[in-house]
Amino acid sequence: KVKPQLEEKEGKTFDVFTAVEFKTQVVAGTNYFIKVHVGNDEFMHLRVFRSLPHESKSLSLHSYQSSKTKHDELAFF
């Protein structure tokens, strides 16, 4: 659900978009920190927010970090 949001922010499309690792952080909803393989040796770290169920909002891409590698540690940001 966040792939189109990232593609819009980056101004390009990703043929490969595979989550390989994630962590969660509970706040007033849930932050998901996701390491995504976007092709070749390129990875991106995404911060995705899911609101509480009663708010009925969809997932939103909060922020992201590009130019990551497979071995970069997925950390809260």
Side-chain angles (χ1 to χ4, degrees):
K1 292 190 175 195
V2 298
K3 181 182 177 194
Q5 295 175 51
L6 180 63
E7 289 175 335
E8 184 178 330
K9 289 181 186 258
E10 281 287 291
K12 61 182 176 182
T13 58
F14 298 102
D15 294 331
V16 176
F17 197 81
T18 308
V20 296
E21 182 183 346
F22 78 96
K23 294 180 179 183
T24 60
Q25 177 187 41
V26 177
V27 289
T30 306
N31 283 321
Y32 293 90
F33 298 88
I34 308 167
K35 181 185 292 187
V36 178
H37 179 225
V38 293
N40 300 321
D41 292 329
E42 277 190 74
F43 290 78
M44 298 182 92
H45 293 181
L46 311 182
R47 180 177 172 186
V48 176
F49 179 73
R50 171 174 272 157
S51 62
L52 295 170
H54 72 275
E55 294 179 342
S56 300
K57 295 180 182 174
S58 60
L59 292 174
S60 63
L61 177 64
H62 183 274
S63 56
Y64 65 95
Q65 298 174 335
S66 55
S67 301
K68 294 294 186 176
T69 69
K70 181 179 182 175
H71 303 291
D72 285 339
E73 181 182 352
L74 182 59
F76 299 113
F77 60 93

